[in-house]
Amino acid sequence: MTDVPALVLAPPQPAPAAARMGRFSAYFGSPGNTLISVLSIAAILFIAKLAFGWLVVDAVFSGDGAVCKAASGACWPFVAQKLRYMLFGFYPYEEQWRPMLALLLLFAAFLVSMMPRFWSRSLLIAWIVVILPVLYILMAGGVLSLTPVPTTSWGGLPLSFTLSFVGLTLAMPLGIVLALARASNLPAIRVLAVGFIEIVRGVPLISILFMATVMLPLFMPEGVTIDKLLRAQVAIILFASAYIAEIVRGGLQDVPAGQYEAGKSLGLHYWQVMRKIVLPQALKKVIPPMVGLFIGFFQDTTLVTIVGLVDFLDTVRSAIRDPEWQGIAVLEGYLVAAAVYFTFSALLGAYSRFLEKHFRTTHA
């Protein structure tokens, strides 16, 4: 007799009409849901009408401060005139193509680096040997016939990205080492790690920046100075590494003890167990809080204003305080800043969801 293949029945799929009715009933299935839905739609339409009127209908698209002052809508000539200053700060006007090219190169490098199929040792070497030196040469100059530009003239968006993304990238391995040290069985290493993490997490970032910028030069030998941008960058790296260490430690605690024992039973030493078995699982589990930390630090770079660095938000404030536009285009300036911060924060959030889906960290 020949075997008859078993008939596998697929689960019934809901009809499109039934699915639409289900979604409809979620909003209008009861008097309470209907009332909330109607009020929400009315509020959205009302806000959208006001926003469209201010942004487009009543807005000014050409003219000067006097024209904008007489109008009741948005003042877009302010944004057009001050956009380059808001983006690049006090960087020499005729050389601003360099920070623009550096930003484009940085975005392209991040786009490639975010794709898991490119993750390899070669990518790390490319960042260290090629990308970071090229970015520094473009910004600082002094070689290849580029005009030297001191770091005191850096500002705007390039400075914000330099402090946040470069700082967090360098803080990541330090945070992992601190997490492993805190989980170590060696008392001396564990105490040092716990002390560093708790002290750094116990003070605000602004105090770390103040100490790195104001207090550190007092302990340096006479005549020895450290660049202000470098001091702020080191402060952000140290501060972020303490928070990254605690997030990674939470991931390490969630890895079952059997994974450690399985690695040891295979004859792997400590670092092999961590690198090949434990850390890959721990880092997958902490993707959402890690990305949330990155978003927070990207926004917290505005605190470097206290140490004399002009980041993107500070250039926006400076543009708003221009006597020609003072008191006229306040909302427009902060709207540009909010759009920039929201765009990059939303992109990082979307990337977090992509990584969760890629590594299948959920139980969907």
Side-chain angles (χ1 to χ4, degrees):
M1 295 179 63
T2 59
D3 295 334
V4 179
L7 180 62
V8 179
L9 297 177
Q13 299 295 327
R20 287 194 295 268
M21 287 300 298
R23 289 193 294 266
F24 181 82
S25 62
Y27 298 102
F28 302 98
S30 66
N33 289 353
T34 301
L35 178 61
I36 294 174
S37 299
V38 170
L39 292 177
S40 300
I41 293 173
I44 292 172
L45 292 177
F46 178 73
I47 295 173
K49 180 184 177 181
L50 293 179
F52 183 77
W54 185 80
L55 293 170
V56 179
V57 177
D58 300 325
V60 177
F61 294 93
S62 62
D64 56 8
V67 176
C68 290
K69 192 172 184 179
S72 59
C75 181
W76 298 122
F78 164 79
V79 177
Q81 181 178 332
K82 294 294 185 179
L83 183 60
R84 290 184 64 167
Y85 173 75
M86 289 189 287
L87 291 178
F88 306 118
F90 295 104
Y91 205 91
Y93 188 85
E94 64 279 1
E95 300 289 335
Q96 288 181 359
W97 64 270
R98 288 160 50 182
M100 175 59 73
L101 182 59
L103 279 178
L104 294 176
L105 177 61
L106 182 64
F107 294 157
F110 274 124
L111 182 62
V112 174
S113 303
M114 286 179 173
M115 300 180 185
R117 65 174 177 271
F118 293 118
W119 292 354
S120 64
R121 189 173 300 174
S122 300
L123 180 62
L124 178 62
I125 295 174
W127 269 96
I128 297 174
V129 178
V130 179
I131 299 174
L132 291 179
V134 170
L135 292 175
Y136 180 78
I137 291 172
L138 281 173
M139 293 295 298
V143 296
L144 301 177
S145 301
L146 296 175
T147 304
V149 179
T151 56
T152 53
S153 298
W154 297 13
L157 204 56
L159 180 66
S160 296
F161 276 109
T162 299
L163 291 172
S164 57
F165 288 100
V166 174
L168 290 169
T169 301
L170 297 178
M172 186 71 181
L174 179 58
I176 293 175
V177 172
L178 286 171
L180 294 177
R182 181 159 188 169
S184 174
N185 294 325
L186 301 176
I189 295 178
R190 185 172 64 252
V191 169
L192 290 175
V194 170
F196 174 83
I197 293 171
E198 296 303 327
I199 290 175
V200 173
R201 293 176 70 239
V203 295
L205 175 58
I206 194 171
S207 64
I208 302 292
L209 289 170
F210 182 80
M211 291 185 62
T213 305
V214 179
M215 301 295 294
L216 181 61
L218 300 178
F219 298 95
M220 302 299 295
E222 186 177 357
V224 177
T225 59
I226 302 177
D227 185 81
K228 185 184 294 185
L229 176 61
L230 180 60
R231 281 178 274 167
Q233 186 73 86
V234 172
I236 290 176
I237 291 173
L238 295 177
F239 191 80
S241 64
Y243 284 85
I244 292 175
E246 286 299 280
I247 292 176
V248 174
R249 186 172 71 92
L252 293 174
Q253 291 179 337
D254 195 52
V255 176
Q259 299 293 314
Y260 297 85
E261 298 169 358
K264 294 178 181 179
S265 66
L266 294 175
L268 302 179
H269 58 70
Y270 174 81
W271 291 110
Q272 288 177 322
V273 172
M274 289 296 168
R275 183 169 62 88
K276 297 183 177 181
I277 298 176
V278 177
L279 277 178
Q281 299 181 60
L283 293 179
K284 290 178 184 178
K285 297 175 184 292
V286 298
I287 289 174
M290 193 71 72
V291 174
L293 178 70
F294 282 16
I295 292 174
F297 269 95
F298 173 60
Q299 298 170 353
D300 287 343
T301 53
T302 56
L303 295 174
V304 299
T305 305
I306 197 69
V307 297
L309 296 175
V310 184
D311 76 312
F312 176 63
L313 186 59
D314 199 42
T315 57
V316 173
R317 293 197 193 103
S318 299
I320 294 173
R321 290 193 294 265
D322 188 324
E324 182 182 352
W325 303 96
Q326 191 170 10
I328 299 174
V330 176
L331 186 57
E332 290 83 344
Y334 285 115
L335 186 63
V336 172
V340 171
Y341 282 109
F342 172 79
T343 298
F344 289 103
S345 299
L347 289 175
L348 283 175
Y351 181 62
S352 171
R353 293 187 293 272
F354 163 76
L355 288 181
E356 292 179 56
K357 184 178 180 181
H358 177 79
F359 291 115
R360 299 177 182 176
T361 59
T362 62
H363 302 282

